[in-house]
Amino acid sequence: MRLYSTNGISDGVTFLEAAESGLAPDGGLYMPESLPALSLPFNDPESAGNLTLQEISKQVSRLFLSDSLSTKEIDELIDDAITMKAPLLKLKDNLFVLELFHGPTLAFKDFGARFMARLFSKHRSVSTKKLIILVATSGDTGGAVANGFYNLDGVNVCLLFPKGKVSDIQRKQMTTLGNNITALEIEGTFDDCQRLVKQAFSDDNLNGTLRLSSANSINVARLLPQSFYFIHAWFQLKKFTHKNPVFVVPSGNFGNLTAGLMAEKMGMPVSAFVAATNRNKVVPEYLEGAEFSPRTSIQTISNAMDVGNPSNFSRIRALYNEDDEAIRHHIKGYSFTDDSTLSMIRKVYEKYNYITDPHTAIGLLAAEEYRKDYDKNAPRIVLSTAHPSKFLDVVEPEINGKVSIPKRLSNAILEDEMSFPLSSCYSEFKRVILNAFDT
Ligand SMILES: *Cc1c(COP(=O)(O)O)cnc(C)c1O
């Protein structure tokens, strides 16, 4: 498997090399030159029997990693990384929720972070320089990556999060572990955090001293494991209906949606994709026919989706050979305000006795709009990207009750926090990481 850079200048690399470098040297994102066809029975799902998430994960991974790891190593990696379940829950006819929050930090990002961390521990390149994983986070990535990489030998993680713009629990998940996990509290927005990380990757001087990589969804190793649960959801749906699903994806940087598109290219039949966003809506606007125009992000109650310049957009265009019309035909977009989000949380609770977090609520809103606009009878699968207990301040007033907090989360609440405040100025950031990591 060879991967190319979407900027077209850097040389092709293996999946493992792409994972280790994160961003390509020319600043582009790595994408597979062609997506391999999965040998799963999409034509005859009954014959699949009870195909598990782990079995699917192994089959997909072998297609991408067999030039670098043995089958045994790949299987061990999956057994170790993909330990959580991803159940498909039926809310009503043709409306399903895919719960992706059963991992250790209660967000779908656990899939990508755990896979990446174990990939790095299976294979460490010959370089003797310490590996520093830089991560810009609007909330959930930081916790998932910190948890996935905690105590991993020879790897340091440096998290950048926007001050005051993440929930208490999200902050605690990043700042209470310590050891090889360093948290920087940036005076600015998520876009500032992302800009600092991107600038660090293109800084030759810095890269001469430190070996930097990324665990944001610019890293292709984050995306691949996200395709596993799309495929697993597809097979779970077949217990309810023979129709092909519409996947509704609450989106920020559009890594999750890109992973779904990759699964489709590998052979999974999909009726349509729906991109659901909060008021940070550059992609829905583009899907409606406007130019793609990145801008500063706006703060909302679905903060993990507060992204003004979605980094995976270039991957989506690459998957479609830059054919904007084809993209607009197959992917529909909707955006929603905080008020609509809150009323959806209340409505879902009243109607189905189901508690949903604000990101998933945006997906449910989009699923409703899609049904009105396009297809009354298509089975829609909404990806539930986080557990409601991560957003207590938002959710509890709407349901007028308590959300029970899973134990693995309540443990983090008791621990002491440790983070470093920093401006969003690049030279200051660079000085701090050189001081911290250049030993
Ligand atoms: C990260 C995140 C998203 C957005 O996912 P992308 O892959 O960046 O589009 C949505 N919901 C939650 C809860 C998240 O943590």
Side-chain angles (χ1 to χ4, degrees):
M1 152 90 41
R2 301 295 289 176
L3 294 92
Y4 71 98
S5 161
T6 51
N7 280 0
I9 300 166
S10 301
D11 289 337
V13 294
T14 66
F15 188 86
L16 205 58
E17 287 163 345
E20 287 211 336
S21 51
L23 207 61
D26 64 8
L29 304 184
Y30 282 117
M31 277 302 273
E33 280 174 2
S34 67
L35 281 158
L38 273 167
S39 54
L40 289 170
F42 291 112
N43 292 326
D44 179 19
E46 267 96 74
S47 73
N50 231 346
L51 195 56
T52 64
L53 176 61
Q54 283 69 24
E55 187 49 43
I56 291 170
S57 308
K58 286 174 187 174
Q59 292 213 27
V60 178
S61 303
R62 285 174 203 150
L63 296 175
F64 286 79
L65 284 166
S66 56
D67 51 11
S68 308
L69 300 179
S70 70
T71 305
K72 181 165 170 283
E73 286 173 315
I74 294 169
D75 289 358
E76 283 169 4
L77 190 162
I78 295 298
D79 286 335
D80 205 16
I82 310 299
T83 49
M84 50 281 188
K85 52 190 184 354
L88 187 73
L89 187 108
K90 180 175 168 177
L91 280 188
K92 66 168 179 184
D93 277 350
N94 288 327
L95 183 61
F96 300 84
V97 171
L98 180 64
E99 292 187 342
L100 300 174
F101 50 69
H102 295 283
T105 72
L106 313 185
F108 79 88
K109 294 190 174 84
D110 284 325
F111 285 87
R114 289 174 67 80
F115 179 89
M116 249 191 98
R118 280 148 188 85
L119 185 63
F120 281 32
S121 66
K122 279 265 173 255
H123 179 91
R124 203 73 57 62
S125 79
V126 285
S127 171
T128 52
K129 284 192 247 168
K130 239 187 207 168
L131 183 60
I132 321 286
I133 312 264
L134 289 180
V135 186
T137 178
S138 57
D140 275 349
T141 305
V145 171
N147 189 284
F149 281 82
Y150 182 53
N151 280 342
L152 197 66
D153 245 8
V155 184
N156 283 287
V157 173
C158 180
L159 308 166
L160 292 79
F161 69 92
K163 181 180 174 186
K165 296 187 174 68
V166 302
S167 78
D168 282 353
I169 287 172
Q170 287 175 329
R171 194 186 62 250
K172 281 174 191 287
Q173 287 182 325
M174 296 187 264
T175 59
T176 54
L177 288 172
N179 195 4
N180 62 331
I181 312 293
T182 304
L184 305 178
E185 187 173 27
I186 304 293
E187 193 74 55
T189 62
F190 167 68
D191 296 319
D192 291 317
C193 300
Q194 191 149 267
R195 174 178 49 80
L196 290 173
V197 168
K198 281 193 178 161
Q199 207 168 336
F201 283 124
S202 55
D203 181 334
D204 291 339
N205 169 277
L206 187 64
N207 286 279
T209 318
L210 301 176
R211 196 154 67 92
L212 300 177
S213 185
S214 149
N216 278 102
S217 55
I218 58 172
N219 195 313
V220 70
R222 267 273 306 274
L223 294 189
L224 182 67
Q226 291 171 197
S227 70
F228 305 162
Y229 49 68
F230 277 94
I231 300 167
H232 186 232
W234 191 95
F235 281 100
Q236 290 185 77
L237 181 70
K238 295 297 149 178
K239 290 182 214 126
F240 301 97
T241 171
H242 290 292
K243 289 190 197 141
N244 288 326
V246 173
F247 281 106
V248 185
V249 189
S251 294
N253 258 321
F254 283 80
N256 225 358
L257 188 79
T258 305
L261 295 171
M262 285 168 60
E264 183 183 31
K265 294 260 181 236
M266 289 189 269
M268 175 183 76
V270 175
S271 154
F273 284 93
V274 178
T277 73
N278 56 32
R279 289 202 301 128
N280 295 284
K281 55 179 177 185
V282 297
V283 173
E285 283 176 359
Y286 157 83
L287 293 170
E288 288 282 298
E291 285 286 300
F292 179 68
S293 61
R295 61 193 80 135
T296 309
S297 61
I298 308 164
Q299 195 178 349
T300 74
I301 55 169
S302 46
N303 65 23
M305 311 197 315
D306 292 352
V307 183
N309 186 6
S311 52
N312 284 292
F313 184 71
S314 60
R315 279 199 170 109
I316 295 180
R317 293 196 74 228
L319 278 169
Y320 282 88
N321 296 318
E322 327 288 319
D323 181 348
D324 295 321
E325 285 322 302
I327 296 174
R328 288 175 178 137
H329 183 72
H330 196 47
I331 309 175
K332 302 299 171 194
Y334 294 99
S335 72
F336 301 93
T337 62
D338 282 354
D339 281 346
S340 312
T341 309
L342 292 172
S343 44
M344 187 48 117
I345 293 173
R346 198 173 335 125
K347 184 173 141 190
V348 170
Y349 184 63
E350 284 165 0
K351 243 177 138 168
Y352 306 111
N353 198 25
Y354 187 70
I355 306 177
T356 186
D357 87 292
H359 305 80
T360 308
I362 286 185
L364 289 162
L365 285 161
E368 209 167 60
E369 292 303 307
Y370 181 87
R371 180 178 183 280
K372 280 190 222 149
D373 289 350
Y374 295 99
D375 189 344
K376 299 261 176 299
N377 302 310
R380 292 148 297 152
I381 298 179
V382 176
L383 272 62
S384 179
T385 49
H387 191 279
S389 64
K390 295 187 84 170
F391 304 92
L392 293 177
D393 307 355
V394 175
V395 175
E396 287 186 338
E398 293 313 311
I399 64 163
N400 210 351
K402 287 273 167 215
V403 179
S404 61
I405 305 180
K407 196 159 178 4
R408 54 197 184 283
L409 200 57
S410 52
N411 286 342
I413 297 171
L414 306 171
E415 308 274 341
D416 290 336
E417 292 187 43
M418 171 81 158
S419 67
F420 302 92
L422 209 62
S423 79
S424 63
C425 157
Y426 180 69
S427 55
E428 194 186 334
F429 167 64
K430 180 173 172 177
R431 187 174 48 75
V432 166
I433 56 174
L434 277 173
N435 265 339
F437 300 117
D438 183 19
T439 46

